Amino acid sequence: MALIFFFLYFPIGVLVVFSFNASRINATWQGFTLDWYRQLFHDFAIWAATSNSLIVGVASAAISTVIGTMAAFALHRYSFRGKAAFESLLQLPIVIPEIVMGVSLLAFFVLIEMPLGLHTVTIAHVAFNISFVTVVVRARLYAFDFTLEEAAMDLGANRWQTFFKVTLPLIAPGVAAGFLIALTLSLDDFIIAFFTAGPGANTLPMQVYSMMRFGVTPKVNALSTLMLAVVILIGVVGQFIFRGRKETPVPEEEIHPVPRGFEVYAKAGSDRARVPVGAVGARSSPDAQHLQLG
């Protein structure tokens, strides 16, 4: 196991070390310097490409998350004619080679006479990101207890209140994971962006590729080191956010007594289970702790 981790992470460590190398050639170490980082921060083309990547990444991830979450709900909760075919088509972009998808999207944009630019790159990234978001959110829905929604509506919540105050908080980790995967895939993509980007719409991977055609300079290493640092920072912050969410019990003073005999009926499968309101108020299950409609 240690050998596997060494094989995976040693090249990354070498890249980080040589980003501080005083020599332009990455073969030998000639001293410590920050000159490559200074040159990097004064390179307008790199920051323009970084800005383009962030615009495309955030926009495509947000759109993909919304559409992918709705698709996951539709596939998980409902049965309809053609569901199997729809599911197969939805998962097709995951297995299609990127070069095939890039060429097909380019042909589509030419066919409808749409000029290439950042908007076409965003549309292309949405097209393949939806599948990944759907898979991640649907996996989260398999562990979701839908009787909590029925209990919320029995307590007087409408469908929108139930979704935003019960369903969405419980599936939020899956939705956030889908968004981050879509953002990462978008920022990392080169092939599809290469085919669908127009003049002046270079993304960061395209800019790095154009720089590497003239040789790998420590400036490329410095840029890769900064990208690695940002990814690690996002991962650490995400871990703190999700691990810091602790289940807080409801204070005793917030649990009001209910009239004797008053009960809530929740349908679970084909059976109807009798659940005293006091049990719901006491938050007997971990998921029920999010059921606060007031």
Side-chain angles (χ1 to χ4, degrees):
M1 183 63 71
L3 185 61
I4 294 175
F5 279 105
F6 177 82
F7 177 77
L8 290 174
Y9 293 106
F10 180 74
I12 299 177
V14 171
L15 180 145
V16 173
V17 170
F18 275 91
S19 69
F20 301 99
N21 187 14
S23 173
R24 184 179 180 86
I25 302 175
N26 285 322
T28 59
W29 176 265
Q30 294 186 1
F32 181 87
T33 183
L34 294 175
D35 290 341
W36 304 111
Y37 287 89
R38 296 190 187 97
Q39 293 183 27
L40 182 65
F41 282 107
H42 290 87
D43 193 325
F44 174 77
I46 287 179
W47 293 112
T50 303
S51 175
N52 290 340
S53 287
L54 289 175
I55 293 172
V56 171
V58 173
S60 62
I63 298 172
S64 301
T65 301
V66 174
I67 300 176
T69 301
M70 292 190 295
F73 266 93
L75 290 172
H76 186 75
R77 300 187 65 169
Y78 304 107
S79 297
F80 50 89
R81 183 177 300 176
K83 178 179 178 179
F86 176 74
E87 188 172 1
S88 300
L89 289 174
L90 191 62
Q91 295 179 357
L92 200 58
I94 298 177
V95 297
I96 288 181
E98 287 190 348
I99 190 166
V100 174
M101 194 163 186
V103 172
S104 61
L105 286 168
L106 175 61
F108 171 74
F109 292 137
V110 171
L111 181 65
I112 64 175
E113 299 182 352
M114 178 180 289
L116 301 181
L118 287 181
H119 59 287
T120 53
V121 180
T122 303
I123 295 172
H125 284 188
V126 169
F128 73 83
N129 277 336
I130 289 175
S131 301
F132 293 93
V133 175
T134 303
V135 170
V136 173
V137 176
R138 195 176 180 188
R140 177 66 180 177
L141 289 174
Y142 277 112
F144 180 71
D145 185 4
F146 285 98
T147 59
L148 295 175
E149 290 185 334
E150 298 175 4
M153 288 186 283
D154 286 339
L155 291 171
N158 57 36
R159 291 189 178 273
W160 289 108
Q161 288 176 319
T162 301
F163 177 78
F164 285 108
K165 293 189 176 183
V166 178
T167 309
L168 188 58
L170 293 177
I171 67 169
V175 175
F179 176 84
L180 291 177
I181 289 176
L183 179 62
T184 302
L185 291 173
S186 180
L187 293 177
D188 185 59
D189 175 69
F190 168 76
I191 298 177
I192 295 177
F194 179 80
F195 282 100
T196 57
N202 279 359
T203 60
L204 188 57
M206 296 172 63
Q207 183 65 28
V208 171
Y209 174 75
S210 65
M211 293 169 61
M212 292 184 65
R213 286 185 299 176
F214 303 100
V216 180
T217 66
K219 189 190 294 186
V220 176
N221 294 342
L223 176 61
S224 302
T225 301
L226 290 178
M227 294 173 63
L228 178 64
V230 170
V231 170
I232 293 175
L233 180 63
I234 292 174
V236 171
V237 171
Q239 288 292 327
F240 273 106
I241 290 175
F242 288 113
R243 288 186 179 180
R245 295 179 58 189
K246 298 188 180 293
E247 301 293 347
T248 55
V250 179
E252 293 292 335
E253 58 270 14
E254 292 187 12
I255 302 178
H256 304 287
V258 296
R260 185 183 301 273
F262 183 74
E263 296 172 319
V264 175
Y265 290 86
K267 187 175 182 180
S270 59
D271 302 325
R272 296 189 64 85
R274 222 176 226 188
V275 183
V277 173
V280 177
R283 310 317 196 246
S284 56
S285 67
D287 284 344
Q289 294 191 9
H290 297 276
L291 193 61
Q292 299 178 8
L293 306 176

